[in-house]
Amino acid sequence: EMFTQRIERTVQWWQGWAKRAKYDGDHREAVLRSALTLKLLTYVPSGAVLAAATTSLPERIGGSLNWDYRYCWLRDASLTTRAMLELGYWSEAEDFMNWMLTATRLTQPELRVLYTVFGQKAPKERELDYLAGYRNSRPVRTGTGARDQLQLDVYGAVLDAAAQYAQHGGDFDHDMSKALIGFGNFVENHWDQPDDGIWEPRHQRMNHTNSRLLCWVALDRLVSLHEKGKIKGVPVERFSKAREAIRKQIEQRGWNSKLQSYVSILDGDHLDSSLLLLAWYGFEKPDSHRMQATYRAVAECLGTTNGLLFRHKDHEGTFAICSFWEAEYIALGGGALKQAKELF
């Protein structure tokens, strides 16, 4: 009797949660399925959102890019928070903001790339050679080397989520405001340096265009949060000046006139799919000459026969998120809505 009641109660709870999704557009089923998955990846006692519940699932069977994703990456969790807000799941977004404040307390104004669900530093990366891995895809890893990386884009991701939170009616208390301004100060002082970037390659640090973009986003969102009266005490003049300097650098050194495209690394000649986010974050207009040219170059360079996109040239698998970025770029005005729907 007790077990059937528990199962019934569980089913009711999840159905009740799903019903609250404020979405009645196309593909509601798929959207809801995704929302449920994100909720299942949320550690309720703290509000942290895991990147995955698994370790060492291979990108390619027999390949070695098998990482441990059972941690909370601030970038990914910020994107999840945006999604939850869009769907009307207010308390999940609030829980994440509070968790972030607690988790980063010790390192503020500096942010780590990722944390455990308890807000601690992730364990060192180890290879478990006594395990064969999924369909013999070795090595099986636990912990992550990314814990020591510098990824300057996390500041923009977090501040963009905060701006979305405010836009949906959220308020920041004194501690939260102070922390967000602190992140801005860190960006102002550190934006112009090489980092490990969004795709976490394990060679030397580079000047990633995407990291610069997100540093621009960080300062841009703080300035606008101040202007909207959501945060007091933002050094607007300083942040605006740094924001302009970043814009200038991306426009001058992130653009390759020979390729007629923005490029992954300043002064470089490689492309990656995160360049599509220049429009998503509002740095470029979707229909601007540069953005349309970049989109053509990215689609040509990284597209596959089945309509998916690689994240960059030398990787094992396509990434679904990159195709969604593409659909979103087109929907924002980089193409026809019908085209975006087909791609989606």
Side-chain angles (χ1 to χ4, degrees):
E1 176 61 19
M2 189 174 79
F3 286 117
T4 26
Q5 278 176 340
R6 280 185 175 187
I7 288 170
E8 254 169 51
R9 199 162 72 235
T10 302
V11 170
Q12 275 171 355
W13 189 91
W14 280 102
Q15 286 176 340
W17 189 85
K19 272 200 189 86
R20 283 175 24 227
K22 288 184 184 148
Y23 179 77
D24 52 6
D26 295 349
H27 308 287
R28 188 174 195 286
E29 273 300 294
V31 171
L32 204 49
R33 227 7 74 206
S34 296
L36 287 165
T37 306
L38 293 174
K39 176 66 173 167
L40 283 162
L41 287 168
T42 305
Y43 183 65
V44 176
S46 70
V49 187
L50 290 179
T54 51
T55 182
S56 306
L57 280 183
E59 277 191 34
R60 180 169 57 77
I61 302 300
S64 63
L65 297 182
N66 318 326
W67 312 111
D68 186 356
Y69 286 122
R70 299 170 297 172
Y71 308 103
C72 180
W73 266 256
L74 286 185
R75 174 200 311 112
D76 306 43
S78 298
L79 292 170
T80 297
T81 299
R82 274 189 70 143
M84 288 299 192
L85 282 167
E86 294 284 326
L87 292 171
Y89 290 113
W90 190 249
S91 64
E92 281 74 7
E94 204 161 15
D95 289 348
F96 168 69
M97 297 293 287
N98 291 331
W99 171 83
M100 184 190 66
L101 194 61
T102 318
T104 62
R105 231 176 216 134
L106 294 174
T107 58
Q108 277 177 21
E110 201 168 333
L111 292 174
R112 288 199 182 114
V113 174
L114 68 148
Y115 297 80
T116 69
V117 289
F118 307 108
Q120 291 152 344
K121 193 173 185 182
K124 278 194 174 118
E125 196 171 288
R126 291 188 306 132
E127 295 189 0
L128 310 181
D129 48 18
Y130 54 86
L131 292 172
Y134 179 71
R135 288 170 62 186
N136 282 320
S137 305
R138 292 167 186 266
V140 172
R141 293 184 174 92
T142 179
T144 172
R147 73 187 204 137
D148 298 315
Q149 287 198 343
L150 173 68
Q151 296 177 23
L152 292 170
D153 65 307
V154 300
Y155 295 88
V158 163
L159 280 156
D160 184 60
Q164 295 287 327
Y165 177 73
Q167 201 180 323
H168 284 80
D171 290 309
F172 305 115
D173 61 18
H174 176 72
D175 283 355
M176 184 65 85
S177 300
K178 202 173 129 205
L180 295 173
I181 293 170
F183 302 152
N185 286 327
F186 186 87
V187 168
E188 185 196 7
N189 295 320
H190 296 88
W191 65 267
D192 194 15
Q193 59 171 303
D195 74 340
D196 295 297
I198 183 175
W199 305 125
E200 300 182 353
R202 299 198 168 192
H203 37 73
Q204 89 253 41
R205 292 179 173 170
M206 319 272 269
N207 292 307
H208 291 96
T209 303
N210 182 66
S211 298
R212 294 294 202 276
L213 165 68
L214 270 294
C215 287
W216 177 89
V217 169
L219 299 172
D220 180 71
R221 301 312 188 250
L222 279 165
V223 168
S224 83
L225 282 167
H226 182 90
E227 285 166 355
K228 288 171 183 155
K230 286 289 188 178
I231 298 184
K232 289 185 179 72
V234 175
V236 173
E237 214 166 299
R238 276 188 8 233
F239 284 2
S240 300
K241 204 172 141 194
R243 177 180 64 174
E244 280 321 296
I246 301 172
R247 172 172 282 285
K248 216 169 167 173
Q249 189 185 74
I250 294 174
E251 287 177 348
Q252 287 171 1
R253 296 176 55 198
W255 174 258
N256 181 318
S257 53
K258 199 170 93 209
L259 291 176
Q260 281 296 296
S261 177
Y262 279 108
V263 282
S264 306
I265 309 288
L266 300 184
D267 308 317
D269 53 10
H270 288 286
L271 307 183
D272 80 293
S273 58
S274 73
L275 295 166
L276 298 174
L277 295 174
L278 283 156
W280 196 62
Y281 283 116
F283 181 89
E284 273 281 359
K285 289 198 162 55
D287 58 355
S288 72
H289 161 69
R290 280 190 169 194
M291 203 58 224
Q292 289 190 315
T294 298
Y295 171 56
R296 281 194 297 275
V298 166
E300 194 179 320
C301 172
L302 302 171
T304 62
T305 46
N306 60 3
L308 294 170
L309 274 183
F310 288 107
R311 2 177 208 175
H312 44 69
K313 248 321 185 211
D314 48 357
H315 247 286
E316 298 202 347
T318 51
F319 259 43
I321 188 74
C322 303
S323 295
F324 285 118
W325 290 345
E326 183 183 359
E328 214 148 9
Y329 165 70
I330 297 165
L332 279 170
L337 202 55
K338 184 171 174 286
Q339 186 192 354
K341 281 188 169 181
E342 276 165 17
L343 183 61
F344 181 87

